[in-house]
Amino acid sequence: MSSIIQLLPDHVANQIAAGEVVQRPASVVKELLENAVDARATDIKLIIKDAGKALVQVIDNGLGMSVTDARLCFERHATSKIRQAEDLFSLHTKGFRGEALASIAAIAHVEMKTKQDQEELGNHIIIEGSKFISQDAAVLPKGTSFAVKNLFFNIPARRNFLKSDTVEYRHVVDEFQRIALAHPKIHFTFYHNGSEMFNLAPATSRQRIVAVFAGKTNEKLIPVQEETEIVTIEGFVSKPEFAKKSRGEQFFFVNDRFIKSGYLHHAVMAAYDGILKDGAQPSYFLNLTLPPHTIDINIHPTKTEIKFDDEQALYAILRASIKHGLGQFNVAPVLDFDRDSNLDTPYHYKDFDGATPTIQVDGNFNPFSEERPSKQFSTYKKPESTANWESLYVGLDENPNESQHLTFENEEITSSLFQDEEVENSVHKTYQIHKKYIISSIKSGMVIVDQQRAHQRVLYEQFLLNMTVKQASSQQLLFPLNLFYSSSEMELISGLQLSLINTGFVFEENDTDHIVISGIPVNVTESEVSIVLEQLLNDLQDGIPESSFSQNDSIAKSMAKSLAVKTGSYLTEKEQENLVNGLFACKDPNVSPFHKPTFITMRVEDLDKKFAL
């Protein structure tokens, strides 16, 4: 029998490896930016077109590469970071496995230009699908320029799995922000389709965070700093009142490398225990510095997960340091407008000593004496004699018929438990049970309605109708609302603006970091606007649907979920009736917008069976 196992060709092996390293354009952005940082660049430019599908280019002023290194960097497992297995536990750089460039070159058109500072000429290399097309000398500036074009050009199936440009662009922005936040001393510039999206000058960590997320980021940050033998923690967490429902602004950096850790996230949430609303998520930007030999960063293909040597101690230190930072914020002096200023010590009396009071005693004072005491010792006034108390009632018995008559309002009893008169008018049409279900009688028995799901269905169809007909009613605000968002959130809102206008929102101004709303839908209160928009952004964080109908459907579902009456809310009898009537007036009253049943029916025969012996 002939052998059936054979070695894969290099270009096939590279394409398979690319499946682990390169999942989307954002993966290319991550690898190229990390290489630029490892090259000790102080100025890095990121240029993309069509969300990275057509072009991803990174230009840096780093060390550059020699002729030999420029060719070897595209070979599998070729790296300058490690020499032996032990080096994996003493890493101080980002890339180290030597698979990124080989994988990228296997599935795209790559053009690299690089030059070292001491060399007169640089190298210009072109590779298409792992095949070297050319390598020539060229006059170039110091540093390296990588241009990755036509991603997945030779794997159409992988290209078909890419999302819309909006979604892919958002993933690219996420990767860019992670690298930029981890290295505030480097100048980063980001261009998309010829437009400058970010221009981040070298700054401190706090300034970099504010520059990336804009808005009111600066006023919500609380510094966190702790230095121990195990770990050094530096960074910022947000004040509790700025917590959001989404988990967008949450960053852990270990030795300047972005990671994801549910264990460390739990430590942060434990520090906020008792001061956050249910479902709220705080923002945090925390950089943990640990000895390289105490962590293993080679457990995940994308290197976003790390194994720690002593997780329990790290958990306790992180939780305590955040609690300490929050405690310092809470005990800081604040303006109290309810304090009575009359009780404050005047400023010009602050250095005065209080005078000791003098005590005078009248040795001749006799409490049983009839004489009036001296005024300087007492102001006591002896009550008048009450011997003639009958005089208080003189005249009350005269003309008794003219005396004032008092009338008392008797409580009228309108019904009785066993009274048969007008029973039909006193019977409730609906009942609320446990502030969750509404029971209404029907001819065959009764119907039990889930109030939250029913209201979701009513609101969903109402919003969808308004967006389809484009005749939504708006209520004008006396004072316009200013809502601040990050750049990525503003990008999403811009894509949703037309649909939001059709639901009843009126946008007065759209800036780079905030929006001004002067009108809102009639069934939305002013205090609910920020909650509705935040929930909408959270629901659509994986991308805005391309078709207008799908977009309207997603917005209607999100707004219905935010505005629907919640379980545990008390409803009056009128509100119960309106909700039940509104549900059965819907086109599809049987299920909520999320395909959950809104009501069940129970027949009289079913009840009879329950009571049958």
Side-chain angles (χ1 to χ4, degrees):
M1 184 177 178
S2 61
S3 299
I4 60 175
I5 297 177
Q6 58 182 352
L7 293 175
L8 288 173
D10 288 343
H11 69 281
V12 178
N14 287 339
Q15 288 184 359
I16 295 174
E20 294 182 353
V21 179
V22 184
Q23 301 172 357
R24 55 187 357 131
S27 305
V28 178
V29 171
K30 175 181 181 295
E31 299 292 347
L32 296 184
L33 287 178
E34 288 181 348
N35 286 343
V37 172
D38 287 342
R40 305 175 193 172
T42 59
D43 189 292
I44 300 175
K45 293 183 177 64
L46 171 62
I47 303 170
I48 66 172
K49 291 183 180 179
D50 298 337
K53 298 176 183 178
L55 171 68
V56 173
Q57 185 175 8
V58 174
I59 305 172
D60 67 69
N61 63 347
L63 298 176
M65 288 181 281
S66 64
V67 177
T68 305
D69 290 344
R71 184 68 179 259
L72 280 176
C73 72
F74 291 101
E75 300 294 333
R76 291 193 69 197
H77 307 303
T79 178
S80 62
K81 314 298 174 56
I82 59 176
R83 293 289 184 268
Q84 52 189 355
E86 288 74 12
D87 293 341
L88 289 172
F89 300 98
S90 60
L91 291 170
H92 297 276
T93 57
K94 305 285 191 265
F96 58 88
R97 294 182 302 177
E99 288 184 323
L101 295 182
S103 301
I104 294 171
I107 56 174
H109 296 163
V110 178
E111 182 179 1
M112 184 185 73
K113 299 177 182 179
T114 182
K115 175 184 173 295
Q116 293 180 320
D117 191 21
Q118 66 273 16
E119 298 292 335
E120 293 184 1
L121 296 176
N123 294 281
H124 182 197
I125 296 177
I126 298 177
I127 302 175
E128 296 180 359
S130 294
K131 295 180 181 180
F132 275 84
I133 304 301
S134 64
Q135 180 174 2
D136 303 313
V139 178
L140 300 169
K142 174 197 171 185
T144 304
S145 170
F146 269 100
V148 179
K149 306 174 183 177
N150 303 324
L151 195 64
F152 300 124
F153 80 99
N154 53 354
I155 312 178
R158 291 288 301 278
R159 191 176 182 88
N160 291 336
F161 276 100
L162 294 179
K163 304 293 184 180
S164 65
D165 286 357
T166 305
V167 179
E168 297 299 340
Y169 171 75
R170 184 173 172 276
H171 284 287
V172 170
V173 171
D174 288 343
E175 294 294 346
F176 175 81
Q177 290 177 346
R178 293 166 183 174
I179 302 294
L181 290 173
H183 302 278
K185 300 299 182 183
I186 300 177
H187 183 200
F188 286 93
T189 314
F190 180 18
Y191 299 91
H192 181 216
N193 291 337
S195 300
E196 183 180 273
M197 311 307 297
F198 291 93
N199 191 345
L200 308 175
T204 63
S205 296
R206 190 184 192 109
Q207 291 170 338
R208 176 56 57 88
I209 294 171
V210 174
V212 170
F213 293 101
K216 295 186 176 181
T217 306
N218 186 46
E219 64 185 67
K220 73 179 183 180
L221 296 179
I222 300 175
V224 175
Q225 188 168 5
E226 193 70 37
E227 185 174 354
T228 66
E229 296 179 355
I230 299 176
V231 61
T232 299
I233 301 174
E234 294 179 336
F236 301 89
V237 296
S238 67
K239 298 176 183 178
E241 61 265 28
F242 288 95
K244 300 181 178 181
K245 290 187 177 181
S246 61
R247 297 179 58 175
E249 299 178 5
Q250 296 180 345
F251 296 87
F252 279 119
F253 302 99
V254 174
N255 296 351
D256 295 333
R257 180 195 302 274
F258 172 79
I259 68 160
K260 298 177 181 178
S261 174
Y263 189 71
L264 296 182
H265 174 74
H266 191 275
V268 176
M269 297 304 294
Y272 278 91
D273 188 25
I275 58 177
L276 281 182
K277 298 179 181 179
D278 292 339
Q281 293 287 335
S283 302
Y284 52 80
F285 312 87
L286 299 171
N287 195 346
L288 286 65
T289 305
L290 293 90
H293 66 273
T294 63
I295 59 176
D296 184 2
I297 60 179
N298 196 31
I299 64 172
H300 194 273
T302 60
K303 295 167 289 185
T304 56
E305 295 181 10
I306 288 181
K307 186 177 182 181
F308 299 98
D309 188 23
D310 192 352
E311 287 187 334
Q312 288 79 10
L314 189 60
Y315 181 99
I317 295 172
L318 180 61
R319 177 177 176 271
S321 61
I322 296 176
K323 266 189 170 295
H324 179 65
L326 292 173
Q328 287 183 322
F329 162 72
N330 288 330
V331 299
V334 295
L335 291 174
D336 186 5
F337 295 100
D338 296 329
R339 186 180 69 248
D340 188 359
S341 59
N342 294 324
L343 303 178
D344 294 341
T345 302
Y347 182 77
H348 56 280
Y349 280 106
K350 66 182 182 67
D351 296 326
F352 285 15
D353 294 331
T356 304
T358 58
I359 301 175
Q360 298 180 1
V361 180
D362 183 8
N364 298 324
F365 174 69
N366 183 1
F368 302 102
S369 174
E370 294 294 333
E371 297 179 359
R372 181 181 296 276
S374 177
K375 290 185 179 180
Q376 63 177 350
F377 296 111
S378 173
T379 59
Y380 173 78
K381 183 178 181 180
K382 184 178 179 181
E384 298 179 358
S385 175
T386 58
N388 299 324
W389 57 270
E390 295 89 348
S391 61
L392 298 174
Y393 301 94
V394 173
L396 290 182
D397 54 351
E398 297 178 1
N399 299 327
N401 295 330
E402 297 180 1
S403 63
Q404 183 178 4
H405 292 279
L406 300 180
T407 59
F408 298 92
E409 182 179 354
N410 293 327
E411 184 176 354
E412 182 181 357
I413 301 177
T414 58
S415 62
S416 174
L417 181 63
F418 301 101
Q419 186 175 358
D420 293 333
E421 298 178 359
E422 298 181 355
V423 173
E424 292 296 331
N425 295 330
S426 63
V427 173
H428 291 277
K429 294 182 179 180
T430 58
Y431 296 90
Q432 187 182 30
I433 297 180
H434 294 296
K435 298 181 181 179
K436 183 176 183 180
Y437 300 108
I438 299 174
I439 296 182
S440 179
S441 61
I442 55 178
K443 291 182 179 180
S444 59
M446 64 179 177
V447 60
I448 304 175
V449 179
D450 186 307
Q451 65 183 33
Q452 182 173 352
R453 295 179 183 177
H455 200 203
Q456 287 177 354
R457 165 54 64 178
V458 174
L459 291 176
Y460 167 73
E461 293 198 3
Q462 181 179 346
F463 285 128
L464 204 57
L465 177 64
N466 291 340
M467 286 186 284
T468 304
V469 180
K470 300 181 180 179
Q471 293 181 352
S473 301
S474 299
Q475 52 180 335
Q476 295 299 311
L477 298 176
L478 183 60
F479 301 102
L481 289 176
N482 290 298
L483 302 177
F484 290 84
Y485 296 98
S486 64
S487 57
S488 59
E489 290 173 335
M490 286 298 301
E491 192 80 16
L492 289 176
I493 292 177
S494 298
L496 299 171
Q497 185 169 348
L498 181 59
S499 297
L500 291 175
I501 291 174
N502 292 333
T503 62
F505 285 97
V506 178
F507 292 87
E508 188 174 293
E509 179 185 348
N510 273 22
D511 208 338
T512 56
D513 61 347
H514 73 279
I515 58 175
V516 179
I517 297 178
S518 59
I520 57 178
V522 292
N523 49 3
V524 179
T525 62
E526 184 176 348
S527 60
E528 293 174 329
V529 174
S530 60
I531 300 174
V532 169
L533 292 180
E534 183 180 334
Q535 180 67 51
L536 180 60
L537 293 175
N538 188 32
D539 291 340
L540 298 177
Q541 61 183 348
D542 291 332
I544 303 175
E546 290 299 308
S547 65
S548 59
F549 177 78
S550 299
Q551 187 177 121
N552 292 343
D553 184 72
S554 300
I555 294 175
K557 285 182 178 178
S558 178
M559 293 182 64
K561 182 171 64 175
S562 301
L563 298 172
V565 61
K566 301 298 186 291
T567 297
S569 300
Y570 170 76
L571 300 180
T572 64
E573 183 181 352
K574 188 65 175 177
E575 291 172 337
Q576 298 170 27
E577 293 180 4
N578 291 339
L579 181 56
V580 173
N581 294 335
L583 174 64
F584 290 103
C586 292
K587 295 181 179 179
D588 188 6
N590 298 313
V591 294
S592 71
F594 307 98
H595 307 290
K596 300 290 182 65
T598 57
F599 68 91
I600 60 173
T601 57
M602 185 170 290
R603 300 178 302 169
V604 176
E605 292 82 357
D606 298 330
L607 294 175
D608 292 339
K609 291 179 181 179
K610 297 291 184 182
F611 288 99
L613 297 178

